[in-house]
């Protein structure tokens, strides 16, 4: 284990899968997070001492530089869906990404992987997409051979997409969604991690847009999820004009409460993002260019959404019992 990789945000949804894969590759893994005591679950990914969580604040030069000392590669998984406190889009997704790249270049590190997002565009109406694009530009300015990964919606056991809506389906007969006709290309989190490993190992450079084998509308994804959790619900499309009003009201409530009451639905910026399709661009390099066969949702979703079924882990037994003859 002579090689070392520092993964910023390595205890997050995508980061933990990259950490696990890098440990299997025989690398030492340094998981840089704000709360190391909450990231102890990464330690068993490797042998004793192979995977270690360490304290880091991506907004601070000295902190970022300290945890990359001796590293052969860095991965930046840090990103936010909505600003909170000092963690603003600019501070995290623009300056933070640029800080990692700049300090890595100064340290002589050759390989970097930046986790971005499909739809990253400096001309976008959404600040999230703008700052993702600006972060990419900062990374490539300092690390021109870096790998940029732009995933669509990422799904997996710890996701905040299918899990969230599956949980909502237990509450009532209606499942509201914003932008029911917006198209997505969900990609399995471990496939994203496998792509990142290629970048860490220096086998791939440049921008890759990663999506799964299926393109579906938001409504179709919810129908698939409801089929897996065995529930019948009315999928209600919330028009964008109504969503903008609702998001504004919740954003203002969060502002006047100084963040004590978080926006529980969607921010105005997220509503802007939901107005655009989130699929791999025509001609873009993707998983196939990395030799990775993407996993289908049908094979993965039942593995972790079963707990939202009315009978939970006993659903399969009950279905089987129905076929028994008296």
């Amino acid at each position: 284990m002579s090689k070392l990789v520092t993964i910023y945000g390595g205890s997050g949804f995508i980061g933990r899968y990259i950490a696990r894969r890098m440990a299997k590759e025989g690398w030492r893994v340094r998981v840089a997070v704000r709360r190391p005591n909450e990231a102890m679950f990464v330690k068993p990914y490797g042998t004793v001492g192979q995977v270690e969580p360490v304290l880091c604040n991506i907004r601070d030069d000295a902190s970022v530089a300290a945890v990359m000392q001796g590293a052969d590669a860095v991965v930046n998984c840090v990103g936010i869906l909505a600003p909170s406190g000092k963690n603003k889009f600019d501070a995290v997704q623009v300056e933070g990404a640029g800080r990692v790249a700049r300090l890595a270049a100064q340290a002589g590190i050759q390989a970097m992987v930046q986790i971005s997002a499909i739809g990253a565009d400096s001309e976008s109406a959404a600040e999230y997409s703008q700052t993702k694009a600006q972060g990419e530009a900062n990374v490539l300015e300092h690390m021109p051979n870096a790998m940029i990964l732009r995933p669509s919606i990422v799904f997996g056991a710890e996701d905040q997409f299918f899990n969230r809506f599956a949980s909502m389906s237990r509450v009532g007969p209606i499942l509201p969604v914003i932008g029911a006709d917006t198209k997505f290309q969900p990609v399995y989190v471990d496939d994203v991690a496998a792509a990142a490993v290629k970048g860490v190992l220096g086998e791939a450079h440049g921008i890759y847009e990663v999506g799964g084998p299926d393109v579906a509308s938001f409504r179709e994804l919810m129908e698939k999820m409801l089929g897996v959790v065995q529930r019948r619900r009315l999928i209600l499309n919330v028009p964008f004009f109504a969503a903008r009003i609702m998001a504004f009201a919740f954003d203002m409530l969060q502002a006047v409460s100084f963040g004590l009451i978080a926006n529980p639905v969607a921010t105005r910026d997220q509503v802007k993002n939901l107005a655009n399709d989130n699929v791999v661009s025509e001609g873009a390099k993707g998983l196939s260019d990395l030799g990775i066969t993407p996993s289908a949702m049908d094979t993965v979703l039942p593995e972790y959404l079963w707990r939202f079924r009315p009978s939970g882990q006993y659903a399969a037994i009950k279905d089987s019992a129905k076929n028994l003859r008296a």
Side-chain angles (χ1 to χ4, degrees), residues 1 23-24 26-29 40 42-53:
M1 293 187 292
K24 288 182 178 179
W27 284 49
R28 289 183 295 127
V29 183
M40 292 301 176
V42 302
K43 292 171 74 73
Y45 289 172
T47 58
V48 176
Q50 185 180 2
V51 183
E52 288 292 337

Side-chain angles (χ1 to χ4, degrees), residues 200-236:
V200 174
L201 299 179
E203 298 173 3
H205 312 277
I207 298 175
Y208 291 80
E209 296 194 356
V210 291
D214 307 306
V215 175
S217 68
F218 202 162
R219 183 188 302 278
E220 291 168 338
L221 292 178
M222 293 300 97
E223 290 171 348
K224 184 180 290 290
M225 177 275 295
L226 289 171
V228 173
V229 301
Q230 301 175 358
R231 294 181 186 272
R232 298 182 64 181
R233 297 290 183 263
L234 173 64
I235 300 173
L236 178 65

Side-chain angles (χ1 to χ4, degrees), residues 230-231 305-318:
Q230 301 175 358
R231 294 181 186 272
L305 292 183
W306 56 264
R307 62 195 181 95
F308 296 104
R309 293 171 180 167
S311 301
Q313 70 267 40
Y314 302 109
I317 297 174
K318 291 184 67 175

Side-chain angles (χ1 to χ4, degrees), residues 183-196:
K183 295 188 181 300
F184 296 91
Q185 194 170 347
V187 59
Y188 181 41
V189 61
D190 199 41
D191 292 338
V192 178

Side-chain angles (χ1 to χ4, degrees), residues 100 124 297:
V100 173
S124 173
M297 288 182 285

Side-chain angles (χ1 to χ4, degrees), residues 66-304:
V67 298
M68 70 168 62
Q69 285 186 7
D72 299 279
V74 293
V75 180
N76 181 32
C77 301
V78 180
I80 56 174
L81 293 174
S84 175
K86 294 181 179 179
N87 291 316
K88 307 297 185 184
F89 281 128
D90 280 337
V92 175
Q93 298 188 164
V94 180
E95 297 169 11
R99 179 173 293 110
V100 173
R102 170 171 52 82
L103 295 173
Q106 292 175 4
I109 295 172
Q110 299 298 313
M112 176 173 178
V113 177
Q114 167 72 14
I115 304 298
S116 185
I118 282 181
D121 181 3
S122 59
E123 302 299 322
S124 173
E127 190 178 2
Y128 171 84
S129 296
Q130 289 176 22
T131 52
K132 280 293 188 182
Q134 292 162 7
E136 290 180 5
N138 279 354
V139 168
L140 294 175
E141 177 185 351
H142 300 287
M143 298 283 286
N145 289 325
M147 174 193 239
I148 307 289
L149 285 179
R150 294 176 175 174
S152 181
I153 289 288
V154 183
F155 68 92
E158 304 86 0
D159 72 46
Q160 294 298 312
F161 183 69
F162 285 114
N163 277 307
R164 177 184 181 186
F165 286 99
S167 179
M168 289 170 59
S169 73
R170 297 189 296 188
V171 177
I174 297 176
L175 189 65
V177 298
I178 300 170
D181 296 323
T182 300
K183 295 188 181 300
F184 296 91
Q185 194 170 347
V187 59
Y188 181 41
V189 61
D190 199 41
D191 292 338
V192 178
V197 169
K198 299 280 188 180
V200 174
L201 299 179
E203 298 173 3
H205 312 277
I207 298 175
Y208 291 80
E209 296 194 356
V210 291
D214 307 306
V215 175
S217 68
F218 202 162
R219 183 188 302 278
E220 291 168 338
L221 292 178
M222 293 300 97
E223 290 171 348
K224 184 180 290 290
M225 177 275 295
L226 289 171
V228 173
V229 301
Q230 301 175 358
R231 294 181 186 272
R232 298 182 64 181
R233 297 290 183 263
L234 173 64
I235 300 173
L236 178 65
N237 180 39
V238 179
F240 280 111
F241 77 88
R244 285 191 288 268
I245 295 172
M246 181 173 58
F248 175 79
F250 280 116
D251 279 349
M252 291 303 100
L253 179 62
Q254 179 172 312
V256 298
S257 68
F258 298 100
L260 293 177
I261 302 176
N263 186 330
V265 182
T267 65
R268 286 170 291 175
D269 200 66
Q270 290 167 346
V271 172
K272 292 176 183 177
N273 257 327
L274 285 169
N276 302 306
D277 289 342
N278 197 269
V279 299
V280 173
S281 305
E282 186 176 352
K285 291 191 294 184
L287 291 177
S288 60
D289 297 283
L290 297 169
I292 299 169
T293 302
S295 305
M297 288 182 285
D298 290 338
T299 63
V300 179
L301 294 183
E303 293 182 358
Y304 66 95

